[in-house]
Amino acid sequence: MSSLPFGRLFAELWGSKNVWYFAEEVFLKAGGKGARSAWHQDTAYLPWAGEHWGNAWITFQPLTKQYSLEVVRGSHQGAQYDGTTFANPDDPTEPLYGDGSLPRLPDVEAERALDPAAYDVASWATEPGDVVVIHPRSLHSGPAVDAGCPDRHTLVLRFFGDDAVFRALPDVEGHPFARNGVLFVEEMAKLNEGEPFRSPVFRKLV
């Protein structure tokens, strides 16, 4: 990771003296059969706040805008919504926590069906080697695959910088995500609300 340019890229993008690597995630939609990913914010699932967070979204096939990542422009500066469970195809806004501490997700696709201009949605055609960078608080979604784009292999790398702080998730009793999320749980338990997001477990790139 240290030999790749992401540390310098995010340092310049944010104006941050330091950049750390958080983790990666891999997504696969193949065979022309894969539904749209529900609209969501990653910060509903991870205890993150602050300006210096970034997802590097990388695909390994050429994509037209129709099949590329979609992002509601400027939504990272808006409301923090409850997450979706991703478990109910009949309700893509089914709340992850449901305790009322966070507003329910809007049904972006239903609203766009009624009014295509309801949201300012950005998307970009990409070629292998391109990187799309978004703030993880942005409302975003991955479109379905079909015969026009049967496969989409995606790698997401996650980074943070100086202005990254810990934000406790809704503390719903018995909920697997309660307060700390499900990644680096022991490290997250050592942080308090609003403290700088730091731990020796995260590799410093810059």
Side-chain angles (χ1 to χ4, degrees):
M1 182 63 67
S2 60
S3 64
L4 297 174
F6 292 108
R8 296 190 303 276
L9 182 154
F10 281 103
E12 293 175 7
L13 177 66
W14 295 326
S16 180
K17 292 183 179 179
N18 303 286
V19 175
W20 292 268
Y21 177 63
F22 179 80
E24 70 285 338
E25 205 166 2
V26 176
F27 299 93
L28 170 62
K29 292 184 178 180
K33 296 180 180 179
R36 170 182 284 277
S37 301
W39 287 87
H40 65 284
Q41 299 160 298
D42 294 345
T43 45
Y45 307 88
L46 295 160
W48 295 351
E51 292 296 317
H52 293 175
W53 289 98
N55 292 354
W57 191 86
I58 303 163
T59 54
F60 298 92
Q61 293 84 23
L63 298 176
T64 64
K65 289 178 62 174
Q66 177 185 354
Y67 295 105
S68 190
L69 180 72
E70 293 188 325
V71 185
V72 176
R73 199 187 308 270
S75 55
H76 66 292
Q77 297 176 330
Q80 174 62 62
Y81 295 103
D82 201 333
T84 172
T85 63
F86 290 103
N88 186 350
D90 296 322
D91 183 3
T93 72
E94 182 176 70
L96 179 67
Y97 303 102
D99 66 337
S101 61
L102 297 171
R104 188 167 180 147
L105 274 166
D107 192 338
V108 175
E109 282 306 289
E111 293 182 39
R112 290 173 78 191
L114 294 173
D115 177 8
Y119 291 89
D120 183 6
V121 175
S123 186
W124 303 268
T126 64
E127 295 289 334
D130 290 342
V131 178
V132 176
V133 172
I134 70 167
H135 192 289
R137 187 166 169 157
S138 301
L139 274 169
H140 60 281
S141 170
V145 295
D146 56 26
C149 177
D151 301 300
R152 187 171 67 236
H153 301 76
T154 306
L155 172 66
V156 178
L157 306 174
R158 304 180 188 278
F159 304 86
F160 63 96
D162 294 339
D163 184 26
V165 299
F166 178 85
R167 175 188 57 85
L169 298 172
D171 200 1
V172 178
E173 185 175 357
H175 198 287
F177 286 87
R179 189 185 188 278
N180 300 324
V182 294
L183 297 177
F184 307 107
V185 174
E186 293 182 6
E187 290 79 6
M188 297 302 95
K190 299 173 184 176
L191 297 178
N192 296 312
E193 186 76 19
E195 288 184 346
F197 194 92
R198 306 286 187 272
S199 172
V201 74
F202 301 119
R203 182 170 182 174
K204 185 178 177 182
L205 302 180
V206 174

